[in-house]
Amino acid sequence: RASRMHRAYGGFSMGGLSTWCVADHDMDLVGYFMPLSGNNWEGMSTLTKAIDSHGFKQNEYFILAATGDEDIAYPNMRPEMENLKSQTKYFTYTSDFSKGNLYWLVAPGKTHWWGFVRHYVYDALPYFFHEGQ
């Protein structure tokens, strides 16, 4: 728990779902989350309840989600991410994690293919572990 801000969890497709589940149930162990092309089957209220139960401040958890706009996950992720963006008690939407804790990368024309994952990860990792900058 003491090292949770040095730990990230991410995955693609069902791994994206797994990422949301870890955020919902093990946020006390992980500080950074990268759900890729997978939505939260439990709903975002489970996530905000987890945040409340631990008493975390916005600078103590970070989510960078990604998918393509032609990905089969996009229609389910879009309303979830819009919901999180509107919940300003929990999230500040920005591409700069020194100024907020939520970002959603939507790649034009990308579908649900594992080959795009390396691009999402390449784009996402510079956002992670930014403390001390």
Side-chain angles (χ1 to χ4, degrees), residues 1 4 15 19-20 26 34 46 64-65 74 79 93 113 123 130:
R1 286 180 174 86
R4 64 180 287 280
T19 302
W20 289 115
D26 295 309
M34 186 180 3
T46 305
L64 191 148
Y74 178 78
Y93 186 78
W113 180 55
D123 289 340
H130 63 281

Side-chain angles (χ1 to χ4, degrees), residues 1 10 13 25 28 33 35-36 38 44 48 51 55 57-58 63 68 73 78 83 91 99-100 102 108 112 117 126 131:
R1 286 180 174 86
S13 194
H25 301 285
D28 60 325
F33 302 91
L36 306 174
M44 294 307 174
T48 55
I51 294 165
K57 296 179 235 158
Q58 284 193 22
I63 298 173
R78 183 174 177 217
N83 173 277
F91 294 100
K99 297 178 180 160
L102 175 69
H112 198 79
V117 171
E131 288 78 20

Side-chain angles (χ1 to χ4, degrees), residues 45-56:
S45 64
T46 305
L47 178 63
T48 55
K49 286 177 188 171
I51 294 165
D52 285 337
S53 74
H54 294 295
F56 288 136

